[in-house]
Amino acid sequence: VAHRLAQALQDEDPAVRTRAVDLLGQPQNALVAVEALLETLSATEREHLRLDKELRELVAKRRSGRSSSPAGVQELERREGEVSATLAGVLAWRKQIIEALGFFPDEHIVTTLRELSQPRLAAFPKARERNARKDILDVWEAQAEARERLSAAMDVNAPLVRLGSRTALAVVLENLTVLRDELDLLRQEDSRSSNGPPGLRPMLEAQLSRMHDARIRTLAEIRTVLAAR
């Protein structure tokens, strides 16, 4: 049964995949379930990164004005919408897999989830260093991309709390600390944005809202896990 459920993780129908994830727990074979979930997570993360890159390239092309004709701009906007919708679906599926892994107490899973979040936590200093000599709007756009990744990194917190090891909880603390610090920094930037370039404040306020929502969501998920213990 576990092998059949593992195969169903690759089904084209999202409902079939979701049902397979729900059933890949006890009393199924843990080794088969974990191996299948980790393989699926790896493939899903590759697709996530591919779509994320494609979306950023489409946005950059639209903003550059390289497609100056109305038809060209409309096509870029249409494609952006398609990729954004697909990316949202991939992230939702990725979250389901991560949540399922949280029910298998194994330090290899802790390591995998930590490695999944680490590049996103490191994105801020890299964005600032890489853009230190560029236009200020380029800096803010790079940081906006990093903040989007940080919100996705919070998906690992509740499963890590459920796993409950010292290492797992240390990762959660690190994630929440980075999120808190970036929220504080973003609030400071927002308060100074009235003197910045046109369009900056709406961009910062949108980022602030998304990160605030990510914080509320991850804390609620953690409380749910703790309440179930």
Side-chain angles (χ1 to χ4, degrees):
V1 175
H3 286 287
R4 290 184 178 178
L5 291 172
Q7 292 173 354
L9 293 176
Q10 312 304 322
D11 197 278
E12 294 183 359
D13 188 339
V16 173
R17 296 198 304 266
T18 296
R19 185 60 176 159
V21 166
D22 291 341
L23 294 174
L24 264 178
Q26 298 295 333
Q28 305 304 328
N29 184 293
L31 290 177
V32 173
V34 169
E35 181 180 1
L37 288 168
L38 287 175
E39 288 179 357
T40 304
L41 178 61
S42 178
T44 303
E45 185 64 4
R46 287 195 300 271
E47 181 66 2
H48 165 214
L49 295 175
R50 184 190 69 78
L51 290 168
D52 182 66
K53 180 181 179 182
E54 182 179 355
L55 182 60
R56 286 186 281 113
E57 288 174 348
L58 286 168
V59 170
K61 185 176 181 180
R62 176 172 54 80
R63 289 177 177 171
S64 71
R66 280 178 283 172
S67 292
S68 55
S69 69
V73 172
Q74 287 180 358
E75 175 58 24
L76 284 174
E77 291 175 343
R78 184 195 65 79
R79 183 58 185 154
E80 277 182 47
E82 286 183 352
V83 175
S84 294
T86 304
L87 181 58
V90 168
L91 286 173
W93 172 231
R94 171 184 174 272
K95 191 172 190 296
Q96 288 180 285
I97 301 167
I98 291 170
E99 289 172 349
L101 285 168
F103 288 96
F104 295 94
D106 187 314
E107 282 305 301
H108 179 58
I109 293 175
V110 173
T111 300
T112 297
L113 297 184
R114 181 179 186 277
E115 291 175 348
L116 197 64
S117 65
Q118 283 304 300
R120 292 165 176 77
L121 299 184
F124 290 98
K126 287 183 178 179
R128 293 177 184 122
E129 179 182 352
R130 185 173 64 249
N131 292 281
R133 294 181 297 278
K134 292 187 177 181
D135 180 82
I136 191 65
L137 282 176
D138 290 334
V139 175
W140 277 318
E141 286 180 3
Q143 291 180 14
E145 293 172 4
R147 287 176 178 127
E148 290 288 345
R149 295 187 181 98
L150 180 59
S151 296
M154 296 302 110
D155 289 346
V156 306
N157 289 336
L160 285 170
V161 170
R162 182 176 285 111
L163 290 169
S165 70
R166 185 186 297 270
T167 302
L169 297 179
V171 175
V172 174
L173 179 59
E174 181 182 11
N175 289 352
L176 293 177
T177 300
V178 172
L179 181 62
R180 180 203 62 196
D181 291 347
E182 288 301 327
L183 270 169
D184 289 344
L185 179 60
L186 187 52
R187 291 188 184 104
Q188 294 172 23
E189 292 177 355
D190 184 50
S191 67
R192 298 192 299 264
S193 62
S194 58
N195 298 322
L200 174 61
R201 187 156 203 174
M203 182 176 72
L204 290 176
E205 289 178 346
Q207 292 175 34
L208 186 58
S209 176
R210 285 193 292 270
M211 289 184 65
H212 182 66
D213 289 347
R215 181 178 183 275
I216 291 175
R217 185 188 72 246
T218 194
L219 290 177
E221 291 171 351
I222 289 171
R223 283 194 290 269
T224 299
V225 170
L226 293 174
R229 285 190 166 185

